[in-house]
Structure formats: C-alpha cells, structure tokens
Amino acid sequence: MNVPFLSLKDVTAAHGEEIQAAIKRVVDSGWYLQGEENARFEKNYASYIGVEHCISCANGLDALIWIFRAYLELGIMQPGDEVIVPANTYIASILAITENGLTPVLVEPDMNTYQLDGSKVEAAITERTKAIMIVHLYGQCAYTEQIGELCRKYNLKLVEDNAQAHGCRFQGGARTGSIGDAAGHSFYPGKNLGALGDGGAVTCKDDELAACIRALANYGSTKKYVFKYTGRNSRLDEIQAAVLDVKLKYLDEDTEKRRAVARYYVENIKNPAIILPQVPDWQAHVFHLFPIRCARRDELQQYLADNGVQTVIHYPIPPHKQECYKEWNKLSFPITEQIHNEELSLPISPTMSMEQAAKLVRIMNDFV
Ligand SMILES: *Cc1c(COP(=O)(O)O)cnc(C)c1O
C-alpha cells in the first residue's frame, strides 16, 4: 500500500456522479460564460464565507491582483505604496503586489504558527504603508487581534490571501475571507475547494470595491461594450462554477476528514526528530497541508519515498531568494529560511484512508 501525497482522481470520484451531472447540464445548456452557474456559485460562496460579495475570476493570482488594482483605481492606493506581506508565502501573494506597481515589505513569520508575526509588523510600517496582507498559510488562520489593532491604528486595509484556507474560522466564528477588507481565493485543483482547472474569486463587503473588481475581471466593462477601466479577460467559466457549487456543499465534511487525519498524526507521530504543527484551535485550521519540520528534512523525504510515502516541500526556495526578485537576494530572513530548509508536507486529503495514515505514522516513528 503506497501513500500518495494527494489523489485528485479520488477527490473528484468521491462526488463523481454529481460533478458529471453538473458538467452535462452546462454542456447541454449552450451557455458557457457569465450565466446562471456563476451567479449561483457566487451567491452560495459569499453566503458560505459570510460576506455580501463574491466575484468569480480566472484564478487565485488574478483575485489578489484585482483587489490591489481596484484600490488603485478607487484612489485608495498610489503606485509605490507599501504592502506588508509575510516573507514565507507562495510567490503569488507577492506577485499580486508588484504586478500593481506597489511595494511589498516582507516581514518574518512566527516560528510556531508559520503565520505573519504580528509583533514584528509595527516596526515595518512607514508613511507609505497602505495595507497588510495576511496569508492563511497551510490552511491555518493568520489573523490575530494584534494585526487587526494595527490596521485600525494606522488606517491600513487588511487583505487576506485565502487560497489555502477555505472554510477556516477565527475563534470558532468568522470564516477567513470575511475578516479583512477583501480576500482572494484560489480554486486550483489541489486546493481544499478545487475546480477541474483554474478558478478564483474575491470576497468583500464593500459595494464599490466589488463593482470595480467585477468590471476589471471582465475587460473593465461596467455594461456591455462600455469600458471604464483597462481590464482583462479573467472570467470563471460556467463549467467550473457548476463543479465548484457541487463541491462547496461537501467542503465542511471534507474538512472534517482532513482534521481526522491531522488529529491522528498529532496524537501518534512520536519521533523527537520531527516537529509537529501546533494546533491550539482546531476550527482555525483546515489542513490544506500538514507541515512538519525536521532538521534532516531531505534525508527524511528520501526515507519516506523509499517506503512508499510521497511528500512535498512547501516551499523549497523563499520568495526573497528567487531570481525574479533579485533586489532581495541579499536580504536575510532567518526564520523564513529555516522553515524553507526544514518544512515537509505529509499526505493529507479527504480521501486518504486511516490505514494509509497508520502506515505513515509507523514509518515516521521508525525514522532514526
Ligand atoms: C495557490 C495559491 C495562490 C494562487 O492561486 P492560483 O489559483 O494558482 O493562481 C495564491 N496564494 C497562495 C498562498 C496559494 O497557495
């Protein structure tokens, strides 16, 4: 019995008949863009997250790009303004800032939660700071009262990158994606709410922001053949919206399956060489990933592979060490770098069996 990192085939098959029926309905309808399927999914997802507006778009990166672009269009931000962002995130969070001519200011994460360290944020705030972007990395809520307090004190927008945390809750209440001023969501197939291709959405409460983003993602058009902004074609197609609407119904159930695997790992992996994630609040983690740390990470990964367990590193090279951001290559973010050197993501998904989890635990505990 092998343990794959994630079997998307199984994930789709778990709701296979309903997904196939939804696809067939769209194919037969003859209506493939900007129709009922998008309207229904947007309404259901907005209500699931707990906000007034959901604007679907082509992918998660675009969702984040549109948020900052809309703040520029509305005059709330100016080119060159600064956005505080965690130094350890997927590159898309940062690309969305630089794509808009804004300046990312990287701040270290907390070594225990892997999320933006609120105690280091204030020192990074300048006259030009306009926003803090939190990234609910690995599926864990990154919001803290301290970060909310700083946003109010300095009049900053709070933008959430919710690409990895669909369904996560802050203190058992508000869902991530409804906490800040605007949130970007990704429906990349491997995400907790994944399409069968690319997809994304913005959620927010503000009517003006929502209208601007809706226009930007559709050529900048406010009405057919009337263009207010130089937008782009960044639409979610009807087939993906229909698939997502099916999968949304099962999201909470699927999250509980992820949590069951995570709980089993937390309770049973007992190896002094392994640092497990700290989970003070199970509602505040949807386990998009199950990240462990190990000083001998590469050796452990090879050992697991030799024993039929597939793992993935999230991520091997931090953004400030990437060639695309050469100007940061000499900067030092020791915590971020240590996480990148030690992190390893164990298999976790709603379709993973407890037998597979048990096998993994046995192998992990035998690692010397
Ligand atoms: C996946 C991801 C994105 C981008 O989503 P795409 O749909 O792949 O464009 C952005 N931020 C984070 C943290 C992600 O994990």
mmCIF file of all heavy atoms in Angstrom, residues 59-62 64 89-90 92-93 135 137 161 163-164 186-188 191 198-199 315, ligand 1:
data_model
loop_
_atom_site.group_PDB
_atom_site.id
_atom_site.type_symbol
_atom_site.label_atom_id
_atom_site.label_comp_id
_atom_site.label_asym_id
_atom_site.label_seq_id
_atom_site.Cartn_x
_atom_site.Cartn_y
_atom_site.Cartn_z
ATOM 1 N N ASN A 59 -8.451 32.849 -11.699
ATOM 2 C CA ASN A 59 -7.556 32.075 -10.820
ATOM 3 C C ASN A 59 -7.279 32.877 -9.554
ATOM 4 O O ASN A 59 -7.665 34.044 -9.454
ATOM 5 C CB ASN A 59 -6.248 31.718 -11.553
ATOM 6 C CG ASN A 59 -5.555 32.953 -12.104
ATOM 7 O OD1 ASN A 59 -5.090 33.805 -11.360
ATOM 8 N ND2 ASN A 59 -5.531 33.083 -13.423
ATOM 9 N N GLY A 60 -6.575 32.267 -8.631
ATOM 10 C CA GLY A 60 -6.304 32.910 -7.347
ATOM 11 C C GLY A 60 -5.353 34.086 -7.460
ATOM 12 O O GLY A 60 -5.508 35.084 -6.753
ATOM 13 N N LEU A 61 -4.361 33.975 -8.324
ATOM 14 C CA LEU A 61 -3.441 35.099 -8.514
ATOM 15 C C LEU A 61 -4.206 36.320 -9.017
ATOM 16 O O LEU A 61 -4.044 37.424 -8.503
ATOM 17 C CB LEU A 61 -2.312 34.720 -9.487
ATOM 18 C CG LEU A 61 -1.391 35.870 -9.909
ATOM 19 C CD1 LEU A 61 -0.695 36.513 -8.716
ATOM 20 C CD2 LEU A 61 -0.338 35.376 -10.911
ATOM 21 N N ASP A 62 -5.061 36.134 -10.017
ATOM 22 C CA ASP A 62 -5.868 37.257 -10.513
ATOM 23 C C ASP A 62 -6.726 37.852 -9.400
ATOM 24 O O ASP A 62 -6.851 39.071 -9.294
ATOM 25 C CB ASP A 62 -6.777 36.810 -11.669
ATOM 26 C CG ASP A 62 -6.074 36.879 -13.029
ATOM 27 O OD1 ASP A 62 -4.865 37.172 -13.049
ATOM 28 O OD2 ASP A 62 -6.738 36.625 -14.056
ATOM 29 N N LEU A 64 -6.151 38.152 -6.288
ATOM 30 C CA LEU A 64 -5.315 39.043 -5.465
ATOM 31 C C LEU A 64 -4.899 40.283 -6.257
ATOM 32 O O LEU A 64 -4.885 41.398 -5.728
ATOM 33 C CB LEU A 64 -4.083 38.289 -4.964
ATOM 34 C CG LEU A 64 -4.374 37.146 -3.973
ATOM 35 C CD1 LEU A 64 -3.142 36.284 -3.764
ATOM 36 C CD2 LEU A 64 -4.858 37.697 -2.634
ATOM 37 N N THR A 89 5.690 32.885 1.998
ATOM 38 C CA THR A 89 4.395 32.628 1.377
ATOM 39 C C THR A 89 4.646 32.103 -0.018
ATOM 40 O O THR A 89 5.780 32.095 -0.494
ATOM 41 C CB THR A 89 3.532 33.908 1.330
ATOM 42 O OG1 THR A 89 2.258 33.594 0.739
ATOM 43 C CG2 THR A 89 4.187 35.022 0.520
ATOM 44 N N TYR A 90 3.582 31.634 -0.646
ATOM 45 C CA TYR A 90 3.686 31.258 -2.053
ATOM 46 C C TYR A 90 3.865 32.552 -2.853
ATOM 47 O O TYR A 90 3.319 33.602 -2.494
ATOM 48 C CB TYR A 90 2.430 30.500 -2.485
ATOM 49 C CG TYR A 90 2.491 30.078 -3.930
ATOM 50 C CD1 TYR A 90 3.532 29.262 -4.388
ATOM 51 C CD2 TYR A 90 1.543 30.522 -4.846
ATOM 52 C CE1 TYR A 90 3.609 28.901 -5.713
ATOM 53 C CE2 TYR A 90 1.619 30.151 -6.177
ATOM 54 C CZ TYR A 90 2.656 29.347 -6.598
ATOM 55 O OH TYR A 90 2.737 28.996 -7.912
ATOM 56 N N ALA A 92 2.695 33.892 -5.360
ATOM 57 C CA ALA A 92 1.535 34.625 -5.892
ATOM 58 C C ALA A 92 1.123 35.796 -4.999
ATOM 59 O O ALA A 92 0.721 36.851 -5.503
ATOM 60 C CB ALA A 92 0.352 33.678 -6.076
ATOM 61 N N SER A 93 1.224 35.623 -3.683
ATOM 62 C CA SER A 93 0.839 36.707 -2.762
ATOM 63 C C SER A 93 1.646 37.961 -3.098
ATOM 64 O O SER A 93 1.122 39.074 -3.092
ATOM 65 C CB SER A 93 1.134 36.336 -1.302
ATOM 66 O OG SER A 93 0.828 35.006 -1.010
ATOM 67 N N VAL A 135 -1.655 35.816 4.945
ATOM 68 C CA VAL A 135 -1.817 34.618 4.111
ATOM 69 C C VAL A 135 -2.124 33.477 5.077
ATOM 70 O O VAL A 135 -1.295 33.178 5.941
ATOM 71 C CB VAL A 135 -0.508 34.305 3.346
ATOM 72 C CG1 VAL A 135 -0.694 33.073 2.464
ATOM 73 C CG2 VAL A 135 -0.061 35.509 2.519
ATOM 74 N N LEU A 137 -1.617 30.532 5.668
ATOM 75 C CA LEU A 137 -0.733 29.526 5.076
ATOM 76 C C LEU A 137 -0.986 28.131 5.640
ATOM 77 O O LEU A 137 -1.170 27.978 6.847
ATOM 78 C CB LEU A 137 0.725 29.940 5.299
ATOM 79 C CG LEU A 137 1.745 29.252 4.400
ATOM 80 C CD1 LEU A 137 1.624 29.707 2.950
ATOM 81 C CD2 LEU A 137 3.170 29.512 4.910
ATOM 82 N N ASP A 161 -5.085 36.525 1.863
ATOM 83 C CA ASP A 161 -4.860 35.522 0.826
ATOM 84 C C ASP A 161 -5.429 34.223 1.392
ATOM 85 O O ASP A 161 -4.830 33.587 2.256
ATOM 86 C CB ASP A 161 -3.352 35.396 0.533
ATOM 87 C CG ASP A 161 -3.073 34.353 -0.547
ATOM 88 O OD1 ASP A 161 -3.932 33.482 -0.775
ATOM 89 O OD2 ASP A 161 -1.980 34.403 -1.142
ATOM 90 N N ALA A 163 -6.205 31.485 -0.311
ATOM 91 C CA ALA A 163 -6.063 30.428 -1.315
ATOM 92 C C ALA A 163 -5.973 29.035 -0.692
ATOM 93 O O ALA A 163 -6.333 28.046 -1.323
ATOM 94 C CB ALA A 163 -4.823 30.689 -2.169
ATOM 95 N N GLN A 164 -5.499 28.972 0.571
ATOM 96 C CA GLN A 164 -5.269 27.660 1.179
ATOM 97 C C GLN A 164 -6.226 27.363 2.333
ATOM 98 O O GLN A 164 -6.062 26.359 3.006
ATOM 99 C CB GLN A 164 -3.812 27.578 1.687
ATOM 100 C CG GLN A 164 -2.783 27.828 0.596
ATOM 101 C CD GLN A 164 -1.354 27.483 1.015
ATOM 102 O OE1 GLN A 164 -1.091 27.114 2.154
ATOM 103 N NE2 GLN A 164 -0.435 27.607 0.072
ATOM 104 N N SER A 186 -8.367 30.899 -4.214
ATOM 105 C CA SER A 186 -7.973 30.113 -5.390
ATOM 106 C C SER A 186 -8.763 28.814 -5.421
ATOM 107 O O SER A 186 -8.967 28.187 -4.374
ATOM 108 C CB SER A 186 -6.479 29.773 -5.316
ATOM 109 O OG SER A 186 -6.164 28.739 -6.238
ATOM 110 N N PHE A 187 -9.189 28.422 -6.619
ATOM 111 C CA PHE A 187 -9.841 27.118 -6.777
ATOM 112 C C PHE A 187 -8.993 26.197 -7.653
ATOM 113 O O PHE A 187 -9.512 25.346 -8.376
ATOM 114 C CB PHE A 187 -11.263 27.286 -7.339
ATOM 115 C CG PHE A 187 -12.109 28.251 -6.551
ATOM 116 C CD1 PHE A 187 -12.687 29.350 -7.167
ATOM 117 C CD2 PHE A 187 -12.313 28.073 -5.185
ATOM 118 C CE1 PHE A 187 -13.455 30.262 -6.455
ATOM 119 C CE2 PHE A 187 -13.076 28.982 -4.453
ATOM 120 C CZ PHE A 187 -13.659 30.075 -5.089
ATOM 121 N N TYR A 188 -7.687 26.398 -7.603
ATOM 122 C CA TYR A 188 -6.714 25.486 -8.242
ATOM 123 C C TYR A 188 -7.086 24.063 -7.811
ATOM 124 O O TYR A 188 -7.511 23.857 -6.663
ATOM 125 C CB TYR A 188 -5.321 25.901 -7.736
ATOM 126 C CG TYR A 188 -4.170 25.074 -8.174
ATOM 127 C CD1 TYR A 188 -3.554 25.286 -9.407
ATOM 128 C CD2 TYR A 188 -3.649 24.083 -7.330
ATOM 129 C CE1 TYR A 188 -2.462 24.518 -9.791
ATOM 130 C CE2 TYR A 188 -2.559 23.312 -7.711
ATOM 131 C CZ TYR A 188 -1.969 23.534 -8.947
ATOM 132 O OH TYR A 188 -0.895 22.780 -9.326
ATOM 133 N N LYS A 191 -6.398 22.685 -4.250
ATOM 134 C CA LYS A 191 -6.810 23.439 -3.062
ATOM 135 C C LYS A 191 -7.984 22.734 -2.376
ATOM 136 O O LYS A 191 -8.619 21.870 -2.962
ATOM 137 C CB LYS A 191 -7.180 24.880 -3.448
ATOM 138 C CG LYS A 191 -6.007 25.657 -4.079
ATOM 139 C CD LYS A 191 -4.935 26.053 -3.073
ATOM 140 C CE LYS A 191 -3.602 26.354 -3.683
ATOM 141 N NZ LYS A 191 -3.445 27.658 -4.295
ATOM 142 N N ASP A 198 -8.416 25.885 -13.630
ATOM 143 C CA ASP A 198 -8.177 27.105 -12.859
ATOM 144 C C ASP A 198 -9.475 27.790 -12.453
ATOM 145 O O ASP A 198 -10.491 27.684 -13.156
ATOM 146 C CB ASP A 198 -7.336 28.092 -13.685
ATOM 147 C CG ASP A 198 -5.849 27.820 -13.559
ATOM 148 O OD1 ASP A 198 -5.382 27.600 -12.419
ATOM 149 O OD2 ASP A 198 -5.147 27.822 -14.587
ATOM 150 N N GLY A 199 -9.406 28.511 -11.351
ATOM 151 C CA GLY A 199 -10.542 29.312 -10.901
ATOM 152 C C GLY A 199 -10.136 30.137 -9.703
ATOM 153 O O GLY A 199 -9.161 29.809 -9.010
ATOM 154 N N TYR A 315 7.871 25.726 1.028
ATOM 155 C CA TYR A 315 8.308 25.670 -0.367
ATOM 156 C C TYR A 315 9.821 25.559 -0.352
ATOM 157 O O TYR A 315 10.437 25.982 0.628
ATOM 158 C CB TYR A 315 7.835 26.923 -1.113
ATOM 159 C CG TYR A 315 6.301 27.005 -1.130
ATOM 160 C CD1 TYR A 315 5.602 27.623 -0.111
ATOM 161 C CD2 TYR A 315 5.576 26.403 -2.156
ATOM 162 C CE1 TYR A 315 4.210 27.659 -0.115
ATOM 163 C CE2 TYR A 315 4.181 26.454 -2.166
ATOM 164 C CZ TYR A 315 3.511 27.066 -1.135
ATOM 165 O OH TYR A 315 2.148 27.090 -1.122
HETATM 166 C C1 LIG B 1 -2.456 28.656 -4.844
HETATM 167 C C2 LIG B 1 -2.109 29.952 -4.200
HETATM 168 C C3 LIG B 1 -2.304 31.182 -4.848
HETATM 169 C C4 LIG B 1 -2.634 31.317 -6.308
HETATM 170 O O1 LIG B 1 -3.704 30.628 -6.766
HETATM 171 P P1 LIG B 1 -3.811 30.190 -8.319
HETATM 172 O O2 LIG B 1 -5.238 29.831 -8.449
HETATM 173 O O3 LIG B 1 -2.867 29.059 -8.517
HETATM 174 O O4 LIG B 1 -3.451 31.381 -9.148
HETATM 175 C C5 LIG B 1 -2.084 32.335 -4.134
HETATM 176 N N1 LIG B 1 -1.651 32.310 -2.866
HETATM 177 C C6 LIG B 1 -1.410 31.154 -2.212
HETATM 178 C C7 LIG B 1 -0.947 31.191 -0.803
HETATM 179 C C8 LIG B 1 -1.614 29.938 -2.864
HETATM 180 O O5 LIG B 1 -1.375 28.798 -2.218
#
